[in-house]
Amino acid sequence: AQTVTQSQPEMSVQEAETVTLSCTYDTSENNYYLFWYKQPPSRQMILVIRQEAYKQQNATENRFSVNFQKAAKSFSLKISDSQLGDTAMYFCALTTSGTYKYIFGTGTRLKVLA
Amino acid sequence: NAGVMQNPRHLVRRRGQEARLRCSPMKGHSHVYWYRQLPEEGLKFMVYLQKENIIDESGMPKERFSAEFPKEGPSILRIQQVVRGDSAAYFCASSPKAPGQGTNNEQFFGPGTRLTVL
């Protein structure tokens, strides 16, 4: 069975500071994809960043970057220069190549403080 | 290219009524997935459909829930005789190809329908 665990239900960070959200996962597959989604109060699911397991290089999208530790099955999200608009729920998700089910974690509620 | 569209965005039903949730996938996408998000939880897979076919409904409750994706028109998730426990956000996602067919497995999510059962 595949699982995704987010152990931080809530976090807060001062505006302009850096914050790291944790995610661990478990799968027996070799080919898989990991995602971070942002869900603001509007509830829209917004893809933040994506990582292919076969790529060793950590993915980066502007202020968002990941620390992908394949052996440890860890996939953390770092948000640099936090902005008030980053306040949202953040979900980590896993899917394996050839399948279609996304497995989501329970989310981390991030609040950026002015 | 419009994204995945879902309507209504908010739906209120009384216990025992029927709820119909609609999803129009992105243009060119023929694979649709429905997920349910209970309060304070992550999304959970319900059903995967292709045009006129249900591929996997293993995540959908056996009773009262059904889904379809006809040749023409949107995908429909139908919940009959709703109960309070059905209150949740229901998300639809779509993809252009079947998983494994040279894609990166990315699904594009709609804005969701929030169902409230009184």
Side-chain angles (χ1 to χ4, degrees):
Chain A
Q2 295 162 76
T3 59
V4 175
T5 302
Q6 294 179 252
S7 58
Q8 305 155 314
E10 292 186 2
M11 293 191 71
S12 61
V13 62
Q14 288 295 137
E15 196 175 6
E17 297 291 311
T18 295
V19 65
T20 299
L21 308 184
S22 300
C23 173
T24 58
Y25 62 92
D26 191 24
T27 179
S28 58
E29 300 290 328
N30 286 323
N31 296 323
Y32 53 89
Y33 303 88
L34 294 159
F35 306 86
W36 277 99
Y37 281 89
K38 172 185 178 181
Q39 188 180 49
S42 67
R43 290 213 165 225
Q44 174 82 47
M45 293 292 286
I46 301 167
L47 178 64
V48 174
I49 201 164
R50 174 179 62 233
Q51 176 81 43
E52 290 89 345
Y54 62 85
K55 289 187 177 178
Q56 293 187 346
Q57 188 172 5
N58 289 327
T60 299
E61 287 288 340
N62 301 315
R63 297 183 295 109
F64 299 88
S65 61
V66 299
N67 184 6
F68 175 44
Q69 300 289 326
K70 191 171 183 178
K73 294 185 178 175
S74 170
F75 182 61
S76 60
L77 175 69
K78 185 172 82 170
I79 306 174
S80 304
D81 186 25
S82 297
Q83 300 175 359
L84 295 177
D86 295 334
T87 293
M89 282 288 286
Y90 286 82
F91 291 98
C92 179
L94 161 74
T95 189
T96 57
S97 179
T99 69
Y100 41 81
K101 295 182 186 179
Y102 275 34
I103 308 299
F104 284 86
T106 51
T108 295
R109 188 180 302 278
L110 176 67
K111 190 168 186 179
V112 179
L113 307 172
Chain B
N1 189 7
V4 178
M5 300 176 68
Q6 290 187 248
N7 66 82
R9 292 295 307 277
H10 300 275
L11 182 62
V12 179
R13 285 288 178 265
R14 297 190 180 280
R15 281 178 296 171
Q17 291 184 319
E18 178 179 285
R20 281 195 179 204
L21 288 62
R22 293 175 184 77
C23 168
S24 296
M26 287 181 69
K27 187 175 180 181
H29 289 197
S30 58
H31 303 265
V32 166
Y33 317 83
W34 285 93
Y35 292 80
R36 178 166 68 173
Q37 183 182 28
L38 296 171
E40 304 303 318
E41 293 187 12
L43 282 66
K44 288 193 167 54
F45 169 82
M46 298 181 73
V47 61
Y48 164 35
L49 309 104
Q50 295 178 19
K51 284 283 187 182
E52 301 184 277
N53 283 306
I54 297 175
I55 308 301
D56 181 354
E57 56 183 349
S58 61
M60 201 157 64
K62 299 265 187 290
E63 297 180 355
R64 302 187 298 107
F65 285 72
S66 63
E68 63 178 16
F69 188 17
K71 187 177 181 181
E72 301 290 338
S75 175
I76 306 285
L77 179 66
R78 183 183 293 111
I79 312 172
Q80 296 177 305
Q81 299 175 335
V82 296
V83 301
R84 289 223 174 101
D86 297 332
S87 294
Y90 292 83
F91 288 89
C92 169
S94 72
S95 67
K97 296 181 181 179
Q101 290 183 350
T103 71
N104 59 11
N105 274 41
E106 185 171 353
Q107 297 175 11
F108 297 81
F109 284 84
T113 294
R114 181 180 291 190
L115 172 66
T116 301
V117 179
L118 302 177

